[in-house]
Amino acid sequence: MILRIEAGPQPHRLDPMGKKACATAAGELPGQVDDIRVVRVYTVDSELPGDVLATWSRGALSDPITDQVSINGHLPTEADWIVEVDFKPGVTDNEGRTAREALALLLPDRPVPAVYFGLQYRIFGRLDRAQVHRLAEDFFANTLIQRIRIASRAEFQSGQMLRANPPVVRITHEPRVRAVSLEGDDAALEALSRQNVWALSAAEMKVVRAWFERPEVKDARRRAGIGEALTDVEMECVAQSWSEHCKHKIFSANITYTEDGKTEKIPGLYKSCIQATTKAIRERDGENDRCLSVFVDNAGVVRFDEEHGLVFKVETHNSPSALDPYGGALTGIVGVNRDPFGTGMGAELLFNTDVFCLADPRREEPPPTGLLHPMRILEGVRTGVEHGGNQSGIPTINGSVVFDDRYIGKPLVYCGTGGVIPLSLHDRPGYRKYVQAGDLVVMVGGRVGMDGIHGATFSSVELSEESPSSAVQIGDPITQKRMFDFLLKARDAGLYSGLTDNGAGGLSSSVGEMATFSGGADIDLAKAPLKYAGLDPWEILVSESQERMTVAVPPDRVDAFLAMSRLMNVESTVLGTFTDSGTFTVRHDGKVVALLDLEFLHNGLPRRELAATWTPPAPVEPDLPARPDLHGLLLRLLSRLNIASKEYWVRQYDHEVKGRSVVKPLCGANAQGPSDAAVMRPLVDSLRGIVVSHGLVPRYSDIDAGAMAAASVDEAVRNAVAAGGDPATFSALDNFCWPDPIAPAPDHERKLAGLVRANRALAEVCLAYNLPLISGKDSMKNDARVGARWISVPPTLLVSLIGIVPDVRRAVTMDFKRAGHLVYALGFTRRELGGSEYLAELGLASTDVPVVRAAANWKLYQALHAAMGRGLLASCHDCSDGGLGVALAESAFAGALGCAVDLAQVPVDAPDLRDDELLFSESAGRFVVSVAPDRAGAFEAALAGLPVARIGEVTAADRVELRVSHGNTVSWTLAECFDAWHAPLAFSAGKDRT
Amino acid sequence: MTLRALVLCGNGTNCEIETAHAVRLAGADEVNILSVWELVAGHDTLDAYQLLCLPGGFLDGDHLGSARAGAFRFAHGRPAAGRDPIRVQLDRLLDAGGAIIGICNGFQLLVKLGLLPTRAWEPRVTLTHNLNGRFEDRWVTLQADPESPCIFTRGIGSIDLPVRHGEGRLVALDDAVRDTIRDGHLAPLVYIDPATGAPTEAYPLNPNGSPGGVAALCDPTGRIFGLMPHPEAFAHYTNHPRWTRDFLEGPPDNEEGAGILLFRNAVDWLRRNHG
């Protein structure tokens, strides 16, 4: 007997969610859709006592003021079409879980049946069945994870939908362990790898084969009773541990690099460019070393004050977001939360960041087969991060959205999380782990299901039409919040010795990595609580079901730990023990199903040998218009997607929960100006703050990925300085998203050469800025294959930055503050239009990409920060996309004040720059600032000897007035600038697609 | 007397730390943060407190509607052996002259428990989806009703605070409930247009379309108070989105944010009148 409850707004009540769906549908099918009403559907695969059903359906499932409820029958409707959407079996159903928890309150000490949630769209309009189907597939559901049922009014009223079965998981399969044979030639091994989504090469599989053929390995296996043959549990564990996602094989590879006819060997980019840079800076800093824990844990840790450290990590979740933008992004944000949380002994989470790289959402033609429309990706990703961040109570304080049509193959979804960690916890550093042999392996949080199997290996292959849907998970922020609430309490009570995240690779990864602290682990998979029966042992081991941490609990604390877990309504299960045996032993119901040498598992992977060749592009001079229409061009630039206002995102993200925000993403007279960076106070009772910023300019990669990387670092630093951060305290994170640089990907040697150049530039600029890299990640397969065609992202490096604002009352925003203030340009403007938004708008190319003169910039940044510390700046805005012209316009309309500026005064280090070059060149290391007249003397003295020039003043007029060459003047009203900038991405509710 | 305040957290709340900080700044002698699970398990009771704060967040993810599952848990959760149900404890706190503030999700919880606009324990109003169907974070200007019995909003005048919600539109059961609110001055804060000072239903000044601009409710005793905006998020002058403009010349003498006033009003009132 299936019980079905419908709840929805009473006929005379407004239905904003229905209106929102209607606006979307009406936008697609103009004139055909009059209205949509949304009804929530809860299905139970069981009977319930009448009083329980009444209390539950009226008290928990519906609102007594606005809703009506129907049990086992439809709420009446005259709608023309009805679309019902629910989840496929096994997909995380958060609403259903909460409904079940409410039901459990009414059924104490009795079994509580599962509850399944669905949404019903009741469409009033003139559509045919095919159109309804298309609406359902394109806007109401993602058929990868959801089921759609469609009924006409007559079909609906006949009760056809009442007979739909709930999505119960039924697995008749008996769990078992299979032997794996690695016999055969390279082709056979590669086929085997592909078929199982192991993402290993034939060479790597032969290393595995050779290991298991060793006599001493065979011996040990016989003694343990597992038999000589490799098991599927072992092979999956090795494949996960050796995946590109986990092992960073390309960043570790030996590279033979050729440039200008010269060839050299690079012993791993990670080691020689990233680690070496940080090491050099730490040595240089000596006693003032800000780094506390780098490259050894889930996130980097740096010093904040005498008692606190800062933890920061950024991850990408590109492949899942391409398939299910909502679930992928939601899982991305709640997933990266677990990295700082799982660092050391655990951090209190402070903030989120997000950066999305997407294709133009206004695309008219349908996307290539197998790919989703960019607007759908935009809205799904946006909503996923909204739900993940907002429901977790972590403010999203910094981010951006970058558009380039090559991201249609794979959107890039960067999610970051920062936290604060006690320097001392129970008399030892809080940023380390203390796992010892004998500690128990405890899995905490959600249960294990088939969701997310092969996420780690799947993200290491390019997308195709056969991509497995089990790689998609849906996050559950509330289960995670409960877990974090509990674990912070357990941390402070000293109930565990270490913890780590269950992310990519699941238990295989988390237990396998934590085992390196003690020297081994022995777990029994049969003890892991499952969402449903029928999982094979290997599936339990590598499942990436969300909201789980692996915790090491000393035996004398385990009772207290488990009791607190029960109290806080969190499931915790002892799976086994950390050992010092040197092996990772996995059992199922006592029987050994995997016996893996830890040294082999973590260090047995042979380094790859790769080749890269760099040929600089032939110089291109742009054929600039003889008499550019500066007035029109600035407005066009302000409307470009990469420059236009991102208020649509910012407003829908809670950016000030925790009550410690100082500089929000939007600032100025009407709180609509684009802040350069975020400033917040980590502690409620201290005025010491942090600044968080980022830089990325993927379009420069088309000329040189090295220039792209250098500019990304400079932009991040510039942004942080502009808001008041002390450049001596900055730390950075590098997140590379690259097109596949390995054969058979087209042009792979050049892509790899770009990676080499990007790493070298990153190292060089970081050394000049004394900027340690404290954490990073790389995602190296950002391609989609559509038939024979590769759609590859431009090489993209995101540099995220965290630093200190010594006194938040000295933070500075980018809006002009008062008429009469003086406007200065800082830093040289050069003829560097290559890769600029200006040339992109004109459809022109140039190879004159901005070059970062780091040593000179560094002097300016330090002097500027010192001047800010003395309160000499009224506003400060970094010049980046769109150059000086855009920066001036933004500072003006953000402050609701005009300005009068003479372009001839702008600092240049070469003569004869054209007006459009002065206005739109994107040279690095520049700012537009304003200064009160009574502080101008002190300001100019503080920056003496640096490229600084007074270029005009802030005015009370509502115009930006620019004196250009030949005595001409160009002017814009603030309103036309603001409207041009604000309109392109200010989607009305009708554009929302979820 | 020792003024003790409790911030009840857990299961999706996320503003407990700043709310507790705000109550401390307001002068409470002791402020505890207690998980709802600990309350249910009987580790502490509400009896020792004069002020209960229900902070913002997403109880149960707001999955069945904002704070609905949370309210259901309050109503149907079983108390630990020897402890009274939460509802009984709440009644006792109020009967003893104590006060409750519910902020954002806490306001939604009060409404869904049926504690506003009167302590009927039966919902008379609800807070539901914003008219534009979106969650939004933005600062609004509010005007206090000087004739309201609310002990939190006395002498406030107008105040800027942030809202961060997707379900803040107040819907009353019927005209009688609307009359009760109007006649009793039980809507102590309304969204206004700062240019005119008049209550507004226009987006974005009124972010959710709440009729009459109603942003908050209190009961006739003035001691049960719920509001959608976040006063605890304006605890320091640098929280305000325009502080770099308004205090360009230097910090104000009093760096405290205006949001603390609401808590201080209640703390002072309870000190004078409790018991």
Side-chain angles (χ1 to χ4, degrees):
Chain A
M1 158 86 196
I2 294 163
L3 194 59
R4 188 186 147 97
I5 299 144
E6 292 187 0
Q10 295 154 8
H12 67 288
R13 298 288 185 187
L14 295 172
D15 180 8
M17 303 323 274
K19 281 272 175 281
K20 198 168 158 178
C22 180
T24 301
E28 282 306 299
L29 300 167
Q32 287 181 258
V33 186
D34 301 326
D35 196 14
I36 295 182
R37 305 280 286 184
V38 176
V39 168
R40 306 184 304 283
V41 183
Y42 299 89
T43 315
V44 184
D45 196 11
S46 163
E47 289 188 58
L48 292 174
D51 56 332
V52 167
L53 183 56
T55 306
W56 181 54
S57 60
R58 294 190 197 284
L61 304 185
S62 63
D63 189 307
I65 307 296
T66 51
D67 284 343
Q68 51 180 346
V69 180
S70 168
I71 294 167
N72 286 338
H74 291 307
L75 289 171
T77 184
E78 293 298 319
D80 299 287
W81 291 97
I82 289 83
V83 175
E84 210 167 272
V85 175
D86 63 5
F87 290 109
K88 286 185 171 174
V91 175
T92 302
D93 176 356
N94 291 325
E95 188 101 4
R97 178 187 53 69
T98 300
R100 180 175 184 263
E101 283 190 17
L103 179 58
L105 295 170
L106 306 176
L107 298 170
D109 312 318
R110 277 187 279 174
V112 184
V115 181
Y116 303 88
F117 174 69
L119 275 178
Q120 204 181 76
Y121 297 85
R122 299 174 162 196
I123 304 169
F124 298 80
R126 293 148 304 281
L127 302 83
D128 60 34
R129 190 178 291 270
Q131 288 174 317
V132 174
H133 204 271
R134 193 163 65 77
L135 273 186
E137 284 205 333
D138 288 354
F139 301 104
F140 302 151
N142 179 350
T143 51
L144 193 63
I145 54 166
Q146 288 170 316
R147 315 187 298 182
I148 296 172
R149 287 182 291 278
I150 293 173
S152 66
R153 184 192 309 162
E155 290 162 346
F156 184 73
Q157 288 174 348
S158 78
Q160 155 188 320
M161 265 187 187
L162 297 174
R163 293 185 289 276
N165 284 319
V168 182
V169 176
R170 291 182 217 280
I171 305 174
T172 50
H173 168 86
E174 268 304 308
R176 59 175 170 163
V177 176
R178 285 186 189 77
V180 173
S181 164
L182 295 185
E183 297 306 313
D185 59 10
D186 285 9
L189 289 175
E190 265 160 22
L192 189 65
S193 172
R194 241 192 335 273
Q195 187 190 332
N196 289 290
V197 202
W198 290 334
L200 293 177
S201 68
E204 289 160 346
M205 289 169 77
K206 283 192 277 195
V207 174
V208 180
R209 180 167 73 196
W211 173 267
F212 283 90
E213 279 170 0
R214 289 187 182 196
E216 72 272 21
V217 172
K218 287 185 172 177
D219 247 20
R221 298 176 68 78
R222 266 195 301 274
R223 281 199 305 277
I226 184 172
E228 281 182 20
L230 178 66
T231 69
D232 57 357
V233 186
E234 291 171 317
M235 196 58 216
E236 292 286 346
C237 184
V238 171
Q240 171 272 312
S241 300
W242 290 9
S243 66
E244 176 58 48
H245 185 91
C246 295
K247 265 286 174 285
H248 310 285
K249 291 186 267 201
I250 294 169
F251 261 73
S252 307
N254 294 317
I255 297 177
T256 306
Y257 178 70
T258 307
E259 178 180 335
D260 263 351
K262 283 186 299 223
T263 296
E264 58 185 310
K265 291 268 186 195
I266 300 170
L269 291 171
Y270 175 58
K271 199 174 154 202
S272 61
C273 294
I274 311 280
Q275 277 189 316
T277 299
T278 301
K279 187 162 173 279
I281 291 167
R282 295 187 72 179
E283 283 168 6
R284 197 193 283 168
D285 283 353
E287 282 184 359
N288 295 321
D289 181 14
R290 79 209 78 172
C291 300
L292 295 171
S293 168
V294 290
F295 307 131
V296 294
D297 207 331
N298 289 316
V301 187
V302 293
R303 190 177 296 277
F304 174 64
D305 64 11
E306 295 302 308
E307 291 165 27
H308 304 87
L310 297 168
V311 191
F312 193 11
K313 175 68 170 274
V314 175
E315 286 264 17
T316 51
H317 225 224
N318 307 338
S319 301
S321 301
L323 296 173
D324 173 21
Y326 173 77
L330 172 60
T331 310
I333 193 72
V334 297
V336 79
N337 288 168
R338 290 193 301 273
D339 280 312
F341 197 91
T343 295
M345 293 294 278
E348 184 214 332
L349 305 184
L350 274 184
F351 65 85
N352 285 335
T353 62
D354 63 75
V355 172
F356 308 140
C357 299
L358 307 168
D360 190 335
R362 301 165 301 187
R363 182 188 178 97
E364 301 265 333
E365 64 269 37
T369 312
L371 302 176
L372 297 176
H373 190 277
M375 184 64 205
R376 182 160 190 163
I377 293 193
L378 179 154
E379 192 51 21
V381 165
R382 192 205 59 68
T383 312
V385 172
E386 175 195 323
H387 288 177
N390 292 1
Q391 292 183 20
S392 301
I394 302 168
T396 301
I397 64 171
N398 184 251
S400 63
V401 191
V402 173
F403 294 93
D404 184 307
D405 274 341
R406 286 169 286 179
Y407 293 119
I408 199 166
K410 255 199 197 176
L412 304 185
V413 178
Y414 293 94
C415 296
T417 302
V420 63
I421 199 164
L423 292 191
S424 175
L425 186 72
H426 310 299
D427 299 324
R428 55 189 187 184
Y431 48 87
R432 298 214 179 99
K433 301 188 201 297
Y434 305 91
V435 184
Q436 292 187 335
D439 288 352
L440 299 168
V441 180
V442 184
M443 186 180 103
V444 178
R447 295 184 153 221
V448 182
M450 287 197 182
D451 38 346
I453 285 176
H454 279 152
T457 46
F458 160 63
S459 70
S460 307
V461 297
E462 74 275 6
L463 285 185
S464 69
E465 284 173 59
E466 293 87 41
S467 299
S469 65
S470 68
V472 175
Q473 314 114 306
I474 294 182
D476 174 3
I478 289 311
T479 296
Q480 180 148 303
K481 184 85 172 74
R482 285 179 184 169
M483 175 175 74
F484 286 174
D485 288 350
F486 155 54
L487 285 172
L488 277 182
K489 243 179 155 50
R491 178 194 79 172
D492 293 342
L495 298 183
Y496 59 78
S497 59
L499 80 173
T500 199
D501 158 36
N502 267 297
L507 287 169
S508 167
S509 167
S510 67
V511 180
E513 283 173 22
M514 282 249 280
T516 59
F517 285 90
S518 66
D522 188 332
I523 61 169
D524 193 328
L525 296 172
K527 292 180 179 163
L530 304 179
K531 292 183 178 178
Y532 33 79
L535 270 69
D536 282 332
W538 74 265
E539 292 177 312
I540 301 173
L541 189 65
V542 301
S543 162
E544 295 174 10
S545 290
Q546 293 290 298
E547 293 81 41
R548 291 182 298 147
M549 304 287 288
T550 292
V551 185
V553 181
D556 61 342
R557 312 281 164 89
V558 73
D559 290 344
F561 183 90
L562 295 177
M564 189 186 280
S565 181
R566 274 192 300 276
L567 169 71
M568 300 295 286
N569 230 19
V570 175
E571 190 162 13
S572 293
T573 313
V574 177
L575 298 184
T577 313
F578 288 104
T579 69
D580 53 9
S581 66
T583 56
F584 182 24
T585 306
V586 181
R587 301 169 192 272
H588 191 260
D589 228 355
K591 184 178 169 2
V592 177
V593 294
L595 188 71
L596 290 163
D597 184 272
L598 270 188
E599 177 63 22
F600 167 70
L601 190 61
H602 292 297
N603 299 319
L605 174 69
R607 270 201 197 191
R608 285 196 176 182
E609 300 288 336
L610 300 174
T613 307
W614 170 250
T615 317
V620 176
E621 291 269 343
D623 185 14
L624 293 173
R627 263 195 294 278
D629 164 23
L630 296 177
H631 182 270
L633 282 165
L634 177 63
L635 296 177
R636 280 161 66 189
L637 282 186
L638 286 166
S639 287
R640 285 185 63 78
L641 296 185
N642 288 340
I643 293 172
S645 171
K646 308 299 184 294
E647 180 167 7
Y648 175 73
W649 282 261
V650 170
R651 289 271 169 243
Q652 297 187 73
Y653 294 154
D654 189 331
H655 48 262
E656 53 191 315
V657 58
K658 290 186 181 290
R660 304 169 218 179
S661 82
V662 175
V663 175
K664 302 178 209 302
L666 297 169
C667 65
N670 299 307
Q672 288 186 303
S675 296
D676 288 325
V679 177
M680 89 180 275
R681 294 178 294 136
L683 312 169
V684 288
D685 51 3
S686 163
L687 292 173
R688 192 174 173 80
I690 55 168
V691 63
V692 176
S693 69
H694 69 274
L696 82 162
V697 268
R699 58 186 187 278
Y700 294 179
S701 289
D702 290 339
I703 302 163
D704 175 11
M708 179 278 292
S712 302
V713 181
D714 188 61
E715 186 181 22
V717 171
R718 218 161 60 219
N719 278 322
V721 169
D726 176 0
T729 64
F730 294 170
S731 303
L733 281 63
D734 57 284
N735 284 79
F736 289 84
C737 285
W738 230 250
D740 194 347
I742 303 284
D747 215 11
H748 58 91
E749 286 208 7
R750 182 180 169 77
K751 289 170 184 168
L752 189 62
L755 188 68
V756 171
R757 290 183 63 76
N759 271 277
R760 291 186 160 180
L762 173 68
E764 185 186 320
V765 179
C766 284
L767 282 169
Y769 289 166
N770 211 44
L771 178 67
L773 295 162
I774 59 165
S775 170
K777 219 54 198 282
D778 51 277
S779 164
M780 305 302 294
K781 306 274 174 182
N782 293 294
D783 313 85
R785 284 175 80 165
V786 179
R789 191 157 68 95
W790 288 65
I791 305 176
S792 300
V793 304
T796 306
L797 168 64
L798 171 68
V799 175
S800 307
L801 185 150
I802 188 166
I804 288 170
V805 180
D807 180 342
V808 297
R809 295 171 300 182
R810 293 292 190 203
V812 177
T813 53
M814 49 67 68
D815 47 313
F816 288 150
K817 302 295 191 301
R818 305 275 191 271
H821 281 188
L822 307 177
V823 178
Y824 292 81
L826 278 52
F828 287 121
T829 298
R830 298 185 167 87
R831 183 172 284 120
E832 293 179 322
L833 287 177
S836 67
E837 287 290 331
Y838 178 58
L839 290 195
E841 178 63 27
L842 294 178
L844 298 175
S846 159
T847 41
D848 280 334
V849 69
V851 174
V852 175
R853 279 88 170 169
N857 294 347
W858 182 234
K859 285 188 194 135
L860 176 65
Y861 297 166
Q862 288 176 304
L864 179 60
H865 177 68
M868 282 179 175
R870 294 164 56 202
L872 301 180
L873 278 287
S875 75
C876 183
H877 192 19
D878 111 285
C879 287
S880 54
D881 299 358
L884 196 60
V886 165
L888 281 168
E890 287 178 342
S891 288
F893 65 63
L897 290 165
C899 62
V901 163
D902 182 357
L903 214 48
Q905 304 304 316
V906 171
V908 290
D909 67 351
D912 302 332
L913 261 67
R914 293 162 46 109
D915 288 338
D916 52 354
E917 289 170 331
L918 284 167
L919 265 187
F920 304 132
S921 176
E922 297 179 6
S923 297
R926 295 180 306 151
F927 304 88
V928 167
V929 311
S930 64
V931 176
D934 61 352
R935 301 185 191 188
F939 172 76
E940 288 177 15
L943 274 73
L946 294 163
V948 173
R950 184 179 148 189
I951 59 170
E953 67 177 310
V954 179
T955 65
D958 66 342
R959 306 186 76 79
V960 174
E961 290 186 321
L962 206 61
R963 212 179 137 83
V964 297
S965 57
H966 308 299
N968 291 330
T969 300
V970 192
S971 98
W972 298 263
T973 66
L974 295 184
E976 67 183 340
C977 291
F978 179 79
D979 291 345
W981 175 77
H982 194 259
L985 294 167
F987 300 113
S988 64
K991 297 274 187 185
D992 290 356
R993 307 177 190 208
T994 45
Chain B
M1 69 179 276
T2 305
L3 195 111
R4 303 181 79 223
L6 182 72
V7 181
L8 197 57
C9 72
N11 201 34
T13 68
N14 53 41
C15 300
E16 53 266 27
I17 293 174
E18 60 267 38
T19 302
H21 178 64
V23 182
R24 278 189 202 106
L25 289 178
D29 300 302
E30 192 180 328
V31 184
N32 290 335
I33 298 177
L34 184 75
S35 161
V36 66
W37 305 120
E38 294 170 304
L39 182 67
V40 168
H43 288 206
D44 199 352
T45 70
L46 301 182
D47 294 339
Y49 300 95
Q50 294 94 38
L51 176 61
L52 173 66
C53 305
L54 303 171
F58 283 81
L59 286 170
D60 295 275
D62 282 357
H63 287 140
L64 309 177
S66 58
R68 173 149 311 287
F72 197 73
R73 200 181 293 281
F74 265 47
H76 298 283
R78 305 218 147 191
R83 296 292 195 196
D84 291 318
I86 293 179
R87 175 181 164 160
V88 174
Q89 295 188 37
L90 283 168
D91 271 333
R92 210 155 47 217
L93 182 143
L94 290 165
D95 291 342
I100 303 180
I101 178 173
I103 302 164
C104 194
N105 200 226
F107 180 24
Q108 292 162 339
L109 178 62
L110 286 175
V111 156
K112 291 177 189 189
L113 282 169
L115 289 173
L116 287 171
T118 58
R119 195 191 341 162
W121 289 106
E122 184 68 42
R124 292 285 183 263
V125 298
T126 194
L127 288 159
T128 186
H129 295 287
N130 298 353
L131 273 189
N132 68 359
R134 289 181 186 171
F135 175 101
E136 284 200 345
D137 178 338
R138 62 169 68 249
W139 281 61
V140 295
T141 304
L142 302 145
Q143 179 72 46
D145 177 353
E147 291 178 61
S148 171
C150 182
I151 66 166
F152 291 82
T153 54
R154 297 186 171 184
I156 289 288
S158 77
I159 183 173
D160 291 354
L161 291 175
V163 292
R164 313 190 304 250
H165 63 251
E167 298 183 42
R169 182 168 52 96
L170 191 80
V171 177
L173 178 66
D174 52 26
D175 287 341
V177 175
R178 278 186 282 274
D179 291 347
T180 305
I181 293 171
R182 191 191 56 230
D183 298 345
H185 295 276
L186 302 184
L189 293 172
V190 291
Y191 304 107
I192 59 163
D193 179 344
T196 64
T200 179
E201 295 183 358
Y203 175 85
L205 298 170
N206 173 336
N208 51 49
S210 208
V214 173
L217 288 177
C218 67
D219 79 328
T221 72
R223 291 183 285 112
I224 309 178
F225 175 50
L227 74 170
M228 288 314 301
H230 286 268
E232 82 289 355
F234 191 11
H236 191 256
Y237 81 99
T238 60
N239 288 137
H240 195 284
R242 287 188 302 273
W243 74 270
T244 56
R245 306 178 67 76
D246 296 344
F247 299 99
L248 183 61
E249 280 71 37
D253 293 335
N254 176 8
E255 296 192 7
E256 189 173 282
I260 302 303
L261 283 177
L262 279 81
F263 298 98
R264 182 168 294 119
N265 273 338
V267 167
D268 289 349
W269 189 94
L270 288 166
R271 240 187 242 293
R272 286 195 307 271
N273 299 296
H274 187 269

